Amino acid sequence: MTTIVTLSELERDAESFLRFKRAMGHPYKRGAFEIDRFLRFVRQHWGEEDPIPLAEALQRWCGRHPGRKAVTLANEFGVIRQLCLFRRRRDPTSYVPEHSWAL
């Protein structure tokens, strides 16, 4: 099943996710930076109003810089995967990428 989201929905979920992490006592500054970069990437490629296939957005996000070191990709990917897991709390059918996506 394909998860389709809008940018405004993704932004709301990201804000809720960051509030949750901070309420748990994590400053999550680097994570907030990565989420902001992901949202800018999505805005640039899909625009404000277009429906966004989440799996495709994540694949493009991970492949945007070929030749990156695996550890860098894994660090960026981990934050976005945590956001997807958080989204699943509200929508059990929401897409969550596998760990194997990050090398």
Side-chain angles (χ1 to χ4, degrees), residues 3-103:
T3 300
I4 304 294
V5 296
T6 61
L7 183 61
S8 60
E9 180 183 356
L10 202 53
E11 288 173 336
R12 272 193 315 270
D13 290 340
E15 193 59 41
S16 296
F17 174 66
L18 292 173
R19 266 187 272 125
F20 170 75
K21 283 294 196 180
R22 290 173 179 146
M24 297 294 291
H26 304 285
Y28 223 67
K29 290 179 184 179
R30 181 68 186 173
F33 176 74
E34 291 302 333
I35 289 171
D36 187 51
R37 286 178 49 192
F38 176 67
L39 292 174
R40 281 194 317 254
F41 176 84
V42 169
R43 183 178 294 111
Q44 181 180 22
H45 286 82
W46 279 274
E48 296 286 332
E49 300 300 321
D50 292 341
I52 302 161
L54 192 54
E56 183 181 342
L58 290 168
Q59 285 176 337
R60 286 188 193 181
W61 167 255
C62 288
R64 72 192 187 284
H65 298 295
R68 292 189 99 164
K69 291 186 178 181
V71 68
T72 303
L73 180 59
N75 287 338
E76 293 176 352
F77 175 74
V79 172
I80 305 305
R81 186 171 188 280
Q82 288 296 312
L83 172 62
C84 292
L85 286 168
F86 181 81
R87 291 189 75 251
R88 188 173 268 183
R89 295 172 66 177
R90 183 178 46 82
D91 177 10
T93 63
S94 184
Y95 178 74
V96 175
E98 295 295 324
H99 282 286
S100 61
W101 275 30
L103 302 174

